Amino acid sequence: MELFLTNTATRRKELFTPLKAADVRMYVCGPTVYDRAHLGNARPVIVFDVLYRLLRHIYGADHVTYVRNFTDVDDKINARAADSGRSIGAITAETTQWFLDDMGAVGAMEPDHMPRATQYIPQMVAMISDLIDKGHAYAKDGHVLFRVRSYQDYGKLSGRSVDDMIAGARVEVAPFKEDPMDFVLWKPSDAAQPGWDSPWGRGRPGWHIECSAMAHELLGESFDIHGGGNDLMFPHHENEIAQSCCAHPGGGFAQVWLHNEMLQVEGKKMSKSLGNFFTVRDLLDQGVPGEVIRFVMLSTHYRKPMDWTEKKRDEAMATLQKWYTQVGSGPAAAADPDPGVVGCLADDLNTAGAIAGLHQLSLTGQAAALRASLQFLGLMGETVPDWALAPQVDLSDWVARLSAARQSALQSKDFSEVDRLKALLTGAGVEVRMSKAGVDLVPGSGFDAARLETGA
């Protein structure tokens, strides 16, 4: 199967050709673990989880390596520790597990490697020393900085020149910088901050060097795919490329760059000031199933802004309930995912097209293929979840009433009683299906028998 991906570096949708088909490698920038993951944090996790599943399907599970890091040394973490009085280690251990639990709830598989930055400090120190030796970095006042102008392709990923970046952005000016655009590889730590011994004194790494060192250690000088949100394109990914290509000029670092767009809530940027900021855990605790969160995310192509709305959430829950009822609660079907669904994903992760394919499978009654395709997209586990199971109720009397009313209406041409009964059933959470074969009533998980009794 051919796989096409839109490469940010070339700005084109291209045929993906791995460096080694038997060893496909992908790196995705992970979270800084100091608090709960907000809804926007879940989008890249879900996007690249789908890509991971697709790569495993095409090349074989044993031939794909997925790395997603945890940044567990950062000034935000230090501030949280100072404010709470808790240790940095306790905070990062707790928030790392929170992240894994919440992402598991939205159907994300765990990557093959999940390196913590603090586990790779020696590799970072070695890379920084190498960059100094090659003239791409310099030490001053306990800091080590990367010489941006020593890498002539700097800005190529984001499409900006160094001079334009300086003119259009607030750049930290510091006495230890040779150039305003130079960025920190290592910085000194005081007694209250986490720190490690280095040739430049006790200190800690800058943010950007982490991913370069961990990607090199786990995936090598050249690997296939690097992903993340488009907010990371500059400066983080730009700086990663510069560091890695200068440290390992014989390698090409990432061959393909993928960036997902950002998330909005009801058409507006999510922010605490607007009161529309919430975490994945907030939604889960409110009773929104993880599969519903995932479904809404996948309904929009990864390169388009994703708008989370209550309407989309409710529609997603209703759709999944219908599909889960259709495929039943028996053992997993021994069917492969539908080729049409997989084909949509192979076309630059067209998840919206894949969901349209699921609708078609449902309409045509292909329950086994629907179940396998839902599982392939991470929208269903081995069994139907309890929240989606239709309640076991006897609606045979209502089937008889609606059938009789329908038969009478066909003769009198007055469908007012049919419409009244349908509205009553629908209002009580019952899906009404009428065809030439007869009447079928399917209660949803929100079925309310009391409403039927009231309107009887």
Side-chain angles (χ1 to χ4, degrees):
M1 170 176 283
E2 292 186 330
L3 170 60
F4 290 86
L5 298 171
T6 296
N7 188 352
T8 306
T10 62
R11 291 159 181 79
R12 293 193 304 269
K13 185 162 73 172
E14 302 171 338
L15 175 65
F16 173 67
T17 305
L19 295 169
K20 298 177 183 177
D23 184 20
V24 182
R25 289 158 287 161
M26 177 171 69
Y27 187 96
V28 176
C29 291
T32 299
V33 283
Y34 66 97
D35 206 345
R36 286 280 186 187
H38 61 70
L39 189 59
N41 296 142
R43 192 176 194 198
V45 172
I46 292 172
V47 166
F48 291 103
D49 178 67
V50 170
L51 179 55
Y52 181 43
R53 292 167 182 265
L54 181 61
L55 292 171
R56 287 162 60 95
H57 180 78
I58 295 174
Y59 297 100
D62 294 337
H63 302 294
V64 179
T65 302
Y66 174 20
V67 178
R68 187 185 66 218
N69 73 294
F70 284 104
T71 295
D72 59 350
V73 52
D74 183 87
D75 289 344
K76 290 179 180 178
I77 301 172
N78 300 342
R80 179 58 55 89
D83 291 342
S84 66
R86 301 178 65 202
S87 71
I88 288 172
I91 289 172
T92 58
E94 178 181 62
T95 51
T96 295
Q97 192 58 52
W98 283 352
F99 182 86
L100 292 174
D101 291 344
D102 293 348
M103 296 307 106
V106 298
M109 298 171 63
E110 290 193 356
D112 299 288
H113 300 283
M114 296 184 288
R116 275 69 165 165
T118 53
Q119 298 171 339
Y120 288 81
I121 300 295
Q123 289 87 343
M124 296 178 208
V125 170
M127 182 175 279
I128 294 169
S129 297
D130 184 49
L131 288 169
I132 292 175
D133 292 343
K134 291 175 178 173
H136 294 293
Y138 57 93
K140 188 172 182 180
D141 298 340
H143 294 77
V144 181
L145 295 104
F146 183 87
R147 284 192 177 95
V148 165
R149 294 184 190 272
S150 72
Y151 180 59
Q152 63 180 13
D153 287 336
Y154 191 86
K156 192 173 180 180
L157 179 70
S158 55
R160 299 184 251 180
S161 72
V162 174
D163 291 333
D164 287 342
M165 292 179 195
I166 293 175
R170 284 180 287 179
V171 179
E172 180 188 4
V173 177
F176 48 78
K177 284 189 174 185
E178 293 179 354
D179 186 288
M181 283 301 296
D182 293 349
F183 59 87
V184 172
L185 300 175
W186 189 264
K187 51 189 173 184
S189 295
D190 61 30
Q193 295 170 324
W196 292 262
D197 292 334
S198 79
W200 321 287
R202 183 177 179 275
R204 60 197 191 280
W207 174 33
H208 313 298
I209 195 66
E210 296 176 13
C211 289
S212 286
M214 290 186 284
H216 177 259
E217 182 71 14
L218 295 169
L219 299 178
E221 294 185 2
S222 301
F223 55 94
D224 297 295
I225 299 170
H226 195 312
N230 67 355
D231 58 326
L232 299 179
M233 191 186 310
F234 179 83
H236 185 52
H237 290 163
E238 203 75 75
N239 291 353
E240 276 190 71
I241 293 171
Q243 296 163 163
S244 297
C245 290
C246 288
H248 311 291
F253 199 45
Q255 306 302 297
V256 177
W257 286 85
L258 295 183
H259 291 92
N260 64 272
E261 259 286 357
M262 296 294 98
L263 175 135
Q264 299 174 330
V265 175
E266 303 289 350
K268 297 180 180 179
K269 182 178 179 181
M270 187 170 68
S271 69
K272 292 180 179 178
S273 62
L274 293 176
N276 65 352
F277 179 95
F278 45 87
T279 68
V280 173
R281 179 52 51 181
D282 289 336
L283 288 176
L284 295 171
D285 288 346
Q286 291 166 17
V288 181
E291 301 98 312
V292 170
I293 298 172
R294 187 181 183 93
F295 186 102
V296 175
M297 293 276 187
L298 297 183
S299 298
T300 300
H301 193 274
Y302 77 94
R303 290 192 298 109
K304 294 181 179 179
M306 210 296 293
D307 191 17
W308 174 272
T309 67
E310 289 190 9
K311 180 181 178 182
K312 288 181 180 179
R313 179 198 65 195
D314 294 343
E315 290 174 346
M317 180 171 284
T319 298
L320 287 173
Q321 285 174 335
K322 180 177 72 174
W323 288 347
Y324 288 161
T325 300
Q326 188 171 1
V327 302
S329 58
D336 291 327
D338 178 69
V341 170
V342 178
C344 285
L345 298 182
D347 182 16
D348 197 25
L349 299 185
N350 182 6
T351 51
I355 288 177
L358 297 180
H359 281 288
Q360 187 62 30
L361 293 173
S362 173
L363 286 171
T364 54
Q366 299 181 62
L370 175 60
R371 186 187 189 99
S373 300
L374 283 166
Q375 291 174 336
F376 181 63
L377 280 165
L379 289 169
M380 183 178 176
E382 291 300 308
T383 59
V384 175
D386 291 342
W387 66 266
L389 290 174
Q392 300 300 308
V393 294
D394 183 5
L395 295 175
S396 56
D397 289 346
W398 287 92
V399 171
R401 286 180 63 180
L402 186 55
S403 297
R406 183 188 184 204
Q407 189 63 35
S408 177
L410 289 172
Q411 296 176 356
S412 67
K413 308 303 179 185
D414 180 4
F415 285 84
S416 57
E417 179 63 8
V418 172
D419 292 339
R420 185 187 76 83
L421 292 174
K422 284 176 61 179
L424 181 61
L425 288 160
T426 302
V430 179
E431 181 182 356
V432 179
R433 303 174 185 172
M434 294 195 298
S435 65
K436 291 181 180 179
V439 173
D440 188 19
L441 302 181
V442 181
S445 61
F447 172 70
D448 185 355
R451 297 189 66 173
L452 281 182
E453 294 171 3
T454 301

